[in-house]
Amino acid sequence: EDKVVQSPLSLVVHEGDTVTLNCSYEVTNFRSLLWYKQEKKAPTFLFMLTSSGIEKKSGRLSSILDKKELFSILNITATQTGDSAVYLCAVEPPRNSGNTPLVFGKGTRLSVIA
Amino acid sequence: DAGVIQSPRHEVTEMGQEVTLRCKPISGHDYLFWYRQTMMRGLELLIYFNNNVPIDDSGMPEDRFSAKMPNASFSTLKIQPSEPRDSAVYFCASSLASAQETQYFGPGTRLLVL
């Protein structure tokens, strides 16, 4: 079963719009949640979130985690065509899971048109 | 640092042929991961190694897939015999000291099996 679910699957917006990408997960007591951006090539790291309610920002991108409701959102303001990519969410399982690696969602494909 | 290096970048082969994908992790990283990515299934973990030892190969789809890591700076993923449904992008990633840290991805190998 899918433990990390991202929505929407795909999104098309105009330049300048603000978008919100969602990631919900079923992994309890997880250690962290990570966001990656994947353009044509490999995923690149964006954020690592460990604490609920604390927003992380990087330029026009920001992300926040809600451990109570088991979700995270990634916001992109004033979108640009260069933001077009697949955005992946991954969850780091709890310590007692052994050394299990990250569990990825299927991603949200964002297309920003001029 | 050159980052994670993968070769080849693209491969087109015929069904039944053997395919070997290669990966050089970031120097000093103890963990190496092989992922497969398709539109239908997203990013899937196939196998990962810690200090050259396979830790979890439960993601390897079937016996046609095998992976080795003969030393700290080299790993291979082999498919024999290949089938059209193996067509995907295969990523290698490495992390420094645990399976649950940020993973740095290589550029991927795009495989097409005809």
Side-chain angles (χ1 to χ4, degrees):
Chain A
E1 75 285 1
D2 287 345
K3 292 187 175 181
V4 180
V5 178
Q6 293 187 244
S7 64
L9 290 178
S10 178
L11 196 57
V12 181
V13 299
H14 285 285
E15 266 191 317
D17 287 351
T18 293
V19 297
T20 299
L21 311 182
N22 303 289
C23 176
S24 63
Y25 53 90
E26 296 178 4
V27 182
T28 55
N29 299 319
F30 71 101
R31 296 176 65 185
S32 67
L33 184 144
L34 295 91
W35 283 96
Y36 287 83
K37 176 183 181 182
Q38 184 177 20
E39 296 173 85
K40 290 184 179 177
K41 299 180 180 179
T44 53
F45 174 77
L46 292 176
F47 297 110
M48 176 184 277
L49 303 163
T50 54
S51 301
S52 199
I54 298 176
E55 184 182 54
K56 290 213 173 178
K57 282 182 72 75
S58 176
R60 295 176 295 103
L61 275 67
S62 63
S63 185
I64 197 162
L65 177 65
D66 186 329
K67 283 189 170 183
K68 183 179 175 185
E69 300 297 330
L70 305 183
F71 78 90
S72 173
I73 59 172
L74 175 68
N75 275 322
I76 308 175
T77 59
T79 51
Q80 302 171 357
T81 54
D83 296 327
S84 297
V86 174
Y87 290 84
L88 294 166
C89 172
V91 171
E92 181 183 344
R95 290 179 190 273
N96 59 8
S97 67
N99 212 4
T100 310
L102 303 175
V103 180
F104 282 84
K106 288 188 170 60
T108 292
R109 181 176 297 277
L110 173 65
S111 299
V112 182
I113 54 178
Chain B
D1 197 323
V4 176
I5 298 172
Q6 290 187 247
S7 65
R9 296 295 301 277
H10 301 267
E11 179 157 352
V12 181
T13 191
E14 289 185 316
M15 183 174 139
Q17 296 297 306
E18 178 179 296
V19 171
T20 300
L21 312 181
R22 295 173 173 79
C23 175
K24 181 181 187 312
I26 293 173
S27 177
H29 280 198
D30 289 341
Y31 285 80
L32 182 140
F33 309 83
W34 281 102
Y35 288 92
R36 176 174 68 176
Q37 186 175 41
T38 62
M39 288 289 289
M40 292 296 293
R41 300 171 68 93
L43 195 62
E44 302 172 280
L45 177 67
L46 300 176
I47 184 172
Y48 76 100
F49 295 82
N50 175 22
N51 291 323
N52 316 337
V53 176
I55 302 300
D56 182 357
D57 65 354
S58 59
M60 296 285 262
E62 44 196 279
D63 292 345
R64 297 183 297 106
F65 285 70
S66 63
K68 293 182 181 179
M69 192 165 184
N71 57 61
S73 58
F74 182 65
S75 176
T76 59
L77 178 67
K78 189 173 290 189
I79 310 172
Q80 166 64 15
S82 57
E83 296 183 4
R85 59 191 167 125
D86 301 330
S87 298
V89 180
Y90 290 82
F91 287 106
C92 176
S94 69
S95 63
L96 184 59
S98 90
Q100 298 170 333
E101 293 181 357
T102 304
Q103 296 174 16
Y104 296 87
F105 284 74
T109 295
R110 185 175 295 276
L111 174 65
L112 177 61
V113 183
L114 302 174

